[in-house]
Structures are given as C-alpha cells and as structure tokens.
Amino acid sequence: MDWLELALRVGAVTVAFLVLPLLVGQTEHKVMAHMQARLGPMYAGAFHGWAQLIADGVKFVQKEDITPRAADGPVFKLAPGVALIPYLLVLLVIPLGPGDLVGQPLDIGLFFALAIVGVGVVAVLMAAWSSANKYSLLGGLRAAAQLMGYELPFVLAAASVAMAAGTLSLPLIVERWEPWWLLWQLPATLVFFIAGLAEIRRPPFDMPIADSELVFGYMTEYTGLRFAFFLLAEYVGIVVISALTATLFLGGWHGPMAESLGWLWMLLKTGAVAFLVIWFRVAWPRLREDQLQRLCWLILVPVALAQLVLTAWVRVAMA
C-alpha cells in the first residue's frame, strides 16, 4: 500500500505540474500577441484560437527528423531528453499544497532542486558540440559562461531562505514561512527570479539562442520532435522557476482557507510569476554579453551576499 500511495501521489502531482507548461505556452502566445498588437491565427479552436499550441505540436510530429551528417549521432539525439527530464524531476519535490500533496518529500529537497536545475547546461553543451555547427557551438559556449556565472547568485538567494527557515526541506520552508518575509527577503526574491531567468535562458538572457546573431544557437540543427522537446523543456523550466519562487519567497500554499485551497493558492502564485517571465520577454531587449556578466558579478552576487549576511544576523538576534 505504501508503494501504491507513493505512486498515486507522484502521479497526481506530476500530472498537475505537467499541464502547467502547456498552459504557460498557450498563455505566452496569447499574452505576447495582445501586448504587441499582433493577434496571430485564430482558426485553431473555436474560441480565440485556443488550440493553436496543439496544432503546433501536431506540426512538429509531422516534420522530418534530421541528423546532420557530421554530427555525433548518439549525443545529438540524447540532448533534448537531458534538457527536459531534470526539470520534471524537480517538480516531484515541490509541494503543491499542505500535508502530503508533494510528489516526494525530501529532507534536502532544496539542495536536490538546485542541483538538478544546473544539469540544464549539460544538455546545452551536448547539443552545441554534437551538432557540428559553428553557430550551435557559439551558442553553447555562451550558455556555459552564462549558467556558470548565474548559478552563484541563484544558490545564494535560495540559501538565504533556507537559513531563515532553518531547513532544506521545501514543505518545511513553506510551513515556517511568515508574511513579513516578503519584506526582509525581497532582495533575495529579486536576485533569485532574475538569476532563474538566466538559468533557463529566457529573454532578456537568451544570448545562447540570439536568433539575430546565431540563427538559433545550440538548437539550430534540430527539427521535428527533438526541437519540440527543447521548447517543452523551456516551458517546464518556466514552471519550475516560478514554482520555486512561489515556494521559497511567496509562501507557497499559504492563503485564506489554506487547508482546503492551498493547492489553488500555490497554482495562482506560480501562474503570477510565470506571467512576469512572459512580460519580461516582451518588455526588455536582449542584453549584451558584457552587460550580462556585469549584472551578475557587480550587482546580483553582492546583493545576494548582503542578504545572506542580513539573514544570518536576524537568525542570531532572534535565537
């Protein structure tokens, strides 16, 4: 019965979070269209072209799967799966609601999530090197430099919350969260969100793709379903970063009638952060490489370190 209960819990939470990437993708299409006054196709689906994302998925399935002659075939074919699977694993440790509404509660859930999110750079490097394409290789090198830099403020900001809560367990962090954290952990919130955008290579941190410079970066040689897997990994990455931000800094499932509606508050907070991710894509131009590194090392890292010192001081003062 324990294994059956675990399987049902993991399955329910996974399905709940797997639906979100598709909703985020559809929302991005429609929100960007309205923000930029270009509504796009309205024919797929009876209401507002709601089925356009499904139509795009069918199109990808029908496209020919091409592997370049000079590519390293096994590595080239494996890279999209390596990009997608780590994000799906992270979803298992994010609490959707109070109690046992989490795929797999871990005492080191935060450490697990941060470690697995960092695997994304491996998939990018696999795709870049195996494609035998100079634009793909340049995109991979950009991604490596970007992710190695932004991993530091990303982890430091998360460590501030872990120190404040006194645990690495994500469910316990949410349980011990208090509303006043919104104020004194605000710098860490901003650092975590911005570094998270860079981690998943979302605009304005999409230099590894930079279609005006690198064709499509490390994804240049991909077609069909493998290209679709990379796009799906991007949307799952948005859900992961949004859910982690909501869990660590916004109180997760906390809200009115949390015992019965906690899952709803968690989904609403995750959706609100995902909307900000989409808005950043529309509102901000792509940074230059020097601006990217300057933002990381001269702004985000010092702010994250200062927040860590403040959290340590508060913990000692309250002890």
Side-chain angles (χ1 to χ4, degrees):
M1 288 299 295
D2 292 339
W3 284 103
L4 179 59
E5 180 184 353
L6 175 61
L8 290 175
R9 189 168 67 242
V10 170
V13 174
T14 304
V15 169
F17 275 117
L18 279 179
V19 173
L20 290 180
L22 300 179
L23 295 178
V24 168
Q26 180 69 10
T27 302
E28 181 174 50
H29 286 176
K30 296 303 177 181
V31 169
M32 287 183 60
H34 284 285
M35 285 182 173
Q36 298 175 341
R38 50 178 186 86
L39 299 184
M42 294 291 184
Y43 303 103
F47 175 73
H48 211 63
W50 66 268
Q52 185 60 46
L53 191 66
I54 299 175
D56 291 340
V58 174
K59 178 190 69 174
F60 282 125
V61 172
Q62 294 175 339
K63 284 185 175 293
E64 183 180 2
D65 182 20
I66 299 175
T67 301
R69 181 178 303 172
D72 187 322
V75 178
F76 182 85
K77 295 175 181 178
L78 190 61
V82 176
L84 177 60
I85 292 175
Y87 291 135
L88 299 180
L89 293 176
V90 173
L91 294 177
L92 294 178
V93 300
I94 297 178
L96 183 58
D100 294 333
L101 203 54
V102 56
Q104 180 58 52
L106 295 177
D107 292 337
I108 55 169
L110 178 58
F111 176 81
F112 175 83
L114 297 179
I116 296 297
V117 167
V119 175
V121 66
V122 177
V124 172
L125 292 177
M126 289 172 63
W129 178 81
S130 64
S131 294
N133 181 295
K134 60 183 179 181
Y135 297 110
S136 298
L137 183 59
L138 287 172
L141 294 176
R142 284 187 176 188
Q146 175 174 320
L147 299 184
M148 288 177 62
Y150 278 82
E151 191 76 18
L152 181 59
F154 188 67
V155 172
L156 289 175
S160 176
V161 177
M163 183 184 296
T167 179
L168 290 174
S169 170
L170 291 176
L172 286 179
I173 289 176
V174 178
E175 286 183 13
R176 298 175 184 179
W177 181 87
E178 298 179 13
W180 69 288
W181 287 17
L182 291 172
L183 180 62
W184 80 294
Q185 291 292 331
L186 180 60
T189 306
L190 297 176
V191 171
F192 187 86
F193 177 73
I194 295 173
L197 288 181
E199 283 283 322
I200 58 176
R201 303 169 295 283
R202 287 285 301 183
F205 304 103
D206 59 336
M207 284 72 75
I209 296 175
D211 53 296
S212 60
E213 305 167 19
L214 302 179
V215 186
F216 217 62
Y218 59 90
M219 292 189 285
T220 297
E221 297 290 354
Y222 282 91
T223 60
L225 274 179
R226 290 194 173 90
F227 182 76
F229 281 151
F230 270 119
L231 295 184
L232 180 59
E234 178 180 342
Y235 290 131
V236 180
I238 294 175
V239 173
V240 167
I241 296 301
S242 301
L244 284 175
T245 303
T247 298
L248 296 175
F249 302 99
L250 304 181
W253 43 260
H254 282 285
M257 300 177 64
E259 288 299 323
S260 57
L261 295 179
W263 60 272
L264 179 60
W265 294 117
M266 178 61 183
L267 292 179
L268 289 175
K269 292 174 183 179
T270 301
V273 178
F275 179 85
L276 285 180
V277 174
I278 297 171
W279 178 77
F280 262 70
R281 177 176 180 177
V282 178
W284 290 85
R286 182 183 303 125
L287 299 179
R288 297 197 313 264
E289 282 295 324
D290 61 315
Q291 294 172 332
L292 172 82
Q293 298 297 336
R294 189 178 297 115
L295 174 65
C296 175
W297 296 106
L298 299 184
I299 298 179
L300 296 187
V301 171
V303 170
L305 288 173
Q307 178 66 57
L308 205 59
V309 172
L310 173 63
T311 303
W313 181 83
V314 171
R315 285 284 294 176
V316 172
M318 295 178 62

